[in-house]
Structures are given as structure tokens and as C-alpha cells.
Amino acid sequence: MSTSIALAGNPNSGKTTLFNALTGARQHVGNYPGVTVEKKQGFCKTDSGEFDVVDLPGTYSLSAYSLEEVVARDYIVNEKPSMIVNIVDASNLERNLYLSVQFLEMGIPVTIALNMMDVAQKRGIEIDIEKLSILLGVPVVPTVARTGKGKKELLDTIVLRKDLNPEPVHISYGSDIDMALDQMVDIIRSSGFLTQKYRSRWIALKYLENDQQILDLGKNENPRIARELESIAKKLTSHLDVTLNAHPEGIIADHRYGFINSILKQNVITFYQDENRLQLSDNIDKIVTNRFLGPILMVAVIMGLYQFTFTYSELPVGWFENFFSRVSGMADNALADGLLKSLIISGIIDGVGGVLGFVPLIMFMFLGISFLEDTGYLARMSFMLDRVFRMFGLHGSSVMAFIVSGGIAGGCAVPGVMATRTLKSPKERLATILTVPFMNCGAKLPVYALLVAAFFAENEAQVMLLITMISWLGALLVAWLLRSTVIRGASTPFVMELPPYRLPTLKGLLIHTWERTWQYIKKAGTVILGISILLWAMMTFPGLDDQALKIFDTKRNAVTASVSENVLNEIRYADTDNLSEQASSVKERLTNLDMEEAQANLKNSIAGRIGLALEGITQFAGFDWRTNISLVGGFAAKEVVVSTLGTAYSLGEVDPEETQSLSERLKTAEGWGPLTAFSLIIFTIFYAPCFVAVVCIAKETGSWKWAVFSVVFNTTLAFGLSVIFYQVGSLILT
Amino acid sequence: MTVINLREMNIDQTGTIVSVGASGELGRRVRDMGLIPGKQIRIQGRAPLNDPVSLRIMGFTLTLRNNEADYIKVEV
Ligand SMILES: Nc1nc2c(ncn2[C@@H]2O[C@H](COP(=O)(O)OP(=O)(O)OP(=O)(O)O)[C@@H](O)[C@H]2O)c(=O)[nH]1
């Protein structure tokens, strides 16, 4: 039977690296039930035995303040792994042991993997491993996760010591607290209060630490005893407040660090250099976060990431597009005209192509971001930008998501929403996820290009800049609005470690990138395909009735009947470019009839009926039914607005890359003018994200509630802004 | 020896923490990272807009916003 082990430790201690070293490719990523915290599981088979390995979220402590801490603690308590492997950064021993001590207090089987031994050595830190092991009462194995050194010794130790529950470590917290603890332990012991899962002294400690999760559990288990314990804790709290002006939580933390200190002082650790001596990292920071050079360098890095993600992914994106258009073409030839063909081409192939089309983008973006994260630069970016983003209730780390989504025009909200993974503060993260879709993604650009070319051709550059500014300002203000209403709450403290600069390993980067990409394909893929088919159906059904079809057929017959068989054959078989005059005029008339039919069909479809029905309201923003339908189509992908407008104006499906004919048509079309055009631009900036982004929002927030919110809220906001703009504009202009 | 707010410290100045007044989530986070009375710190630098501040403690680098630093008194 395989041994279950759980890896736990501080962020940046090398947990993931050790996990990869142990499991290699035999790993998969999921979520802990009901929360968005990632759960990595893997399997490891060596001469030492077989192991099921779980990588717990990185935490500094085991209080119940953050989701990660609750998840890690619950896993240990409920799943009872045979061994907790506590990864401790040897170059940062004192702080890392703060978590270790809390494991020791729980009385669970722990082995310490003393990682980063190479770094410690380089910094002139020597650790007496045997002594540390004796004083802590648990095995300590030195490792270098990056090279796999110490892996075998670690596994052998685990096999030797698994399932042995050691006596919990008792730390003295000073006479006041110790007395209260003893008193509480008596009560807990005699009543068996929560003792199936937890040690009695640990429960008492959590009552003193005011640990919400344990307090709630206690109330459920036995309200009477819970009240008794709470009153002891309350009495102690007020006593300490009067005598020492301190809180039990604070005193407990002080004593934990005191305990660590007393161990380290017994010659366990020797510094051959000053502990706070300036490291290479600090010297790099002097330049990288410098008041003047820092921001310049940051702009360069952002541009670089942008270039990397969107330029280098162009080639593979092109391959995907070619591939899918070829498949489309094959289906076009192989199948008879009709609904099935339309479903397969417009519904399924376009849908699958839509899902996979994002894959290269997501891969490149995560490769770039993982690189910045692993080197430690991302933390510096948040450090430099926090002041700005904080004003709007966001976090320094939000910047990445905004940039990727199209903060510089041309990004994409799908990888943008996924980029919020690096944000550890839940409220700021949610606000970021909900506002990044306002950025100017690559798919919105053809819409802007069409309208700008038709109505603002003289001031093209200025108008594009204006659009970028409106979307940034709008996003930040909406973030602020959300953070003061629906996602209200104090900002998450910026008490954050700036990890030393490190060169990432290729293996680490690739595993990370692949994991993210695969998750996207697996989770988002199926939903997106479904919605794509649904949208296809909305734009197709119910179709024209027989009478209408007959009218088009009659018209077609009238055209073909008026010319000779020769001309018809010419149209059918000859090269399009050198048709005779008569043939090309007939062909044009036939094509026009096809486009008219497509327009009539679209108008009669469900989407068309919605568009018509909404005309009464949307006229206040200057939109007629044609615009409405195209906006419904834009929910599939924003550039579809352009092709649908083409169909609605009987121009056939307009290629978003070549919009000249459509923009000429719009210039003279009834109801169009600069005012309508800009109103539509505003609407396009703010209205519902495309459904691929919506699905990602649902996956990343862990709830469809926020996905629905973003559709409804954004569309309402967009409509409100467009109406205000159009109405005020009309007043001024007349 | 004078006691001042962490916010008022200059870059490269060192000091010893005297008290930490923060409670709740901030208090817990501050303590988890080792900002407790008796610890030596040195101010490492400030972000381009002067906030947050980065400091050195127990051999690693930590960041803190100015309004969070206000809860921490330091003897310099
Ligand atoms: N020199 C050296 N570097 C290491 C060692 N172990 C890990 N690293 C590097 O340290 C960095 C952080 O390692 P991760 O494995 O991502 O750390 P983690 O604990 O999983 O961090 P989170 O993912 O933030 O929880 C990476 O760049 C690793 O390559 C080691 O033993 N020696």
C-alpha cells in the first residue's frame, strides 16, 4: 500500500519544486471541494516505496484567517496523511520554523525537509541538523529540491517514521495563559469536546487565539461547553488587556518566536556573515525599484511581456485558424447545404476553433507570467504599483491582469481573467476579475476600426487613444464602485515577502504553463462549445417560412430564366475573374438575392426578434434592430459584431479584417452618424464580456453568480452610459 | 534612544520593534511574518510613490503599507 504524504510550508520555500521532483509527470491539479484553492496531487514510486503526494497551499501560519490556511489545516485534520513533510527554507530558518512549531503543537507526524541548503551555504549560514532534530523532536532531512538532492533520504525517513503520532510540543506562554490553558484542558478532556479530531491543548489554544473556525465547530458540538471555554478566554483577554495592554494572540505569537529563538540560540545556527548583510538581491532591488529607473524598467518589462504573448503566439494562432478553416472547407464540400451543414460549420467547428484558438495565447501568457513570478519580479511590480491601484480598492498585483486583458489595446480578457491567479487577496482579486473585461481586447478592435474609419477618419489616432483612456478610467472607477458596494471590505494588508531574485527552472515553467492550459481546455472547453451551439441556433432558427422562401426562389428563377443556358454554365464553371459582362451581372443579382435572404433569415431568427423587440428601448442609445442583433452576436466574440452587421445590411458576412464596404455603407445608412457610432463604441467597451470570458469568470470565481453578475451589470452599465452620451450629444448637436 | 513610528524611519535606518498595536487580520499577518517586539529591522527602501515600504527582518525582505506601519513602534 502506498503512503500518503502532504507537503506543507511557507510560500517560496520550494514546495512545488519538491513536489515536481517527487512526482515528475505523474500529477494532476484540481480544486479543493467548494473553494477555488488549487489542489495538486501526484504519485511517486521509488525503491523506498510508493507515495501519494499532496501539495498543500503555501502558508505562513495555521490560523483560520486565509482560505489557504483553512484548507491546509482541514486537509491535515480530516485526511490524516501518514506524514506531513514540512518544507523549511534553510536560508530563512527563523520565520519558517514559526509554521513548523504550529505543526508540532498539533501532535501530528511531521518530517522537516530543510530545503535550499545550497542557498544557506552560500550566505554563510551553517545549521547543526542533528541538534535541530533533537530539540524539535522530529526528523530533519537536508534537501536541495532544485537538484533533487536529499530526496531519497527524505523518503526513507518518511517510511521509517510514518504514522507515529508524536506527543505535541508544549510551549509555555507565560503563567497567565498557561493557567487558563490548564483549566480549559480539564474541561475539554472530561467532556471529550472535539477531541476525536484535535488535541485538547490545541483546542484550548485556538479558543484563546479567537480562531473563528474552531469557535464555530465548538458551538455546534456542545454549546454549553463552548460557552464555558469562551468565557474563560474572555476573562483572560480582559485581564491581559488591563495588566499588559496586550492580546492573547500577540502574546502567544511572541512566545512561539521565543521558543524558536531559544532553540536556535543553542548553537543550532551559525552565521559566518551578517544575517542582514546586503545580498545580491538587495543590490538588484536598488535599481529595479528605484524611483526613476524602476517605473521605466517596468514599462519595458510590460511591453516585453505583451510583445511575447501576442506576437509570438500569432504563428501558432495562425496554424489553428488555418487548420479550422481547412476543416470548415472540407465540411463545406462534403456536406449538402442545409441545417446539418450549418450546425457543423457555424456551431461546432467554429465553437471548437473558438476554444482552441485561445490556447496558444494562454500558453504564452502563462509562460511569460510564470517567468516573471518565479524570478521574483512580479512581487516588485505589485510593490511599485500598489499605491495607485489601492486608491481604487485593487491591489498592486492587479496590474498584470489589466495589461494582459488589453490595457494596451489588443490583449484578451480570457488569459487576463486567468492571470488573476497570482493575486492572493480575495476581494481585490474579485474586483479585478470583474473589471478587466472593460479593457480593449483584440476582438473589439475591428469594431472600433470599422466605426472610426466610417465616421472619425480624420482623427483616427486621437479617437483610438480616447477609447483606451475611457476603458482604463471606466475599469478603475467601476472597481472602486464595486469595492465600495458589493465587494465592500477593508483592503487586504500588504504584508508581503519580497522573495530573493532567482533564475527559474525550465521544467518548473513548463509544468506550470501546461497545467494552466490543460485546465482551460478541460474546464472551459465543454461549456464554451455548448454555448456556441446555442448562439448558432439563436441566429438560425426558426428560419424563413415556406412562403418567404418561395418568394426568394421565384425571384431567383426570374433572374435565371431571363438568360441563356450558356451564361448559367459560365457562372457555374468559369473562373470568377474573367466572366463575360452579362454573366457577371447575373451573378451579382443572384448574390444580392442570397444576401437579402440571409438578412431576412437573420431578422426572423430568435436573435433578430430579440433585436427587433428591443428596438423600442435601444433607440435611446441610437441603436436600431440591426445593431441590436450584431451586439447579440458579439456575445460569441466581439468581432462577430462586424460580420453580423454586414449580414444585417445585406452585404453578406463581412470579414472583420476588411470592413471597407461596410463602413462605406454605414456612412450613408439611415440613423448613423458620429453620435450613433461613438455611442456604439462606448457600448462595446463596457457591455457583457464574450461568453468565453464569462465562462472563465465563473471558473475563476468558483461561482456562476459572478459570471451572471458580470453579464447583467456590464450590459446595464454600458446601456446607461450609451444612452446618456447619445441623449446629451443629441441635445448639444441640435 | 527614542521611540518612533515605523513610518517615520529613514532608508537604511535600523531599529528594534517595541510594540505592535495592530489587531485582527493585520495583526495576525504582521506577527506571522515575525514583526514582534524585540526584533531588529532595517528599512530597505520605498516604492516610487513613497508607499509601501520594504524592510529587512530576520534575513528576509518584507513590504508594508505606510498606514500599516503606523501600528508599529520602533526604538532607534
Ligand atoms: N537554489 C535553490 N533554489 C530552490 C530550491 N528549491 C526551490 N528553489 C527555487 O525556489 C523558487 C520557489 O520555489 P517553488 O517550488 O515555486 O516554491 P513554493 O514553495 O512552491 O512557492 P509557492 O508556489 O509560492 O507556494 C523556485 O525558483 C525554485 O526553483 C533549492 O533547494 N535550492
Side-chain angles (χ1 to χ4, degrees), chain A residues 10-17 115-116 118-119 144-146 502:
Chain A
N10 284 188
N12 287 308
S13 56
K15 249 167 8 75
T16 309
T17 312
N115 194 32
M116 306 252 184
D118 53 333
V119 182
V144 180
R146 220 172 145 129
R502 288 203 177 97

Side-chain angles (χ1 to χ4, degrees), chain A residues 91-158:
Chain A
S91 67
N92 199 345
L93 191 58
E94 196 171 350
R95 196 204 63 216
N96 272 253
L97 285 180
Y98 186 72
L99 178 67
S100 314
V101 166
Q102 296 182 55
F103 284 129
L104 300 183
E105 286 184 291
M106 289 179 84
I108 47 176
V110 176
T111 297
I112 288 182
L114 195 58
N115 194 32
M116 306 252 184
M117 287 304 284
D118 53 333
V119 182
Q121 208 163 24
K122 243 184 260 158
R123 291 207 196 149
I125 301 170
E126 199 180 282
I127 298 167
D128 186 338
I129 290 168
E130 210 167 315
K131 208 168 198 176
L132 181 64
S133 167
I134 291 170
L135 290 172
L136 289 175
V138 294
V140 178
V141 184
T143 61
V144 180
R146 220 172 145 129
T147 60
K149 210 166 129 191
K151 201 169 93 177
K152 182 168 169 25
E153 291 81 351
L154 179 65
L155 292 177
D156 289 340
T157 310
I158 293 170

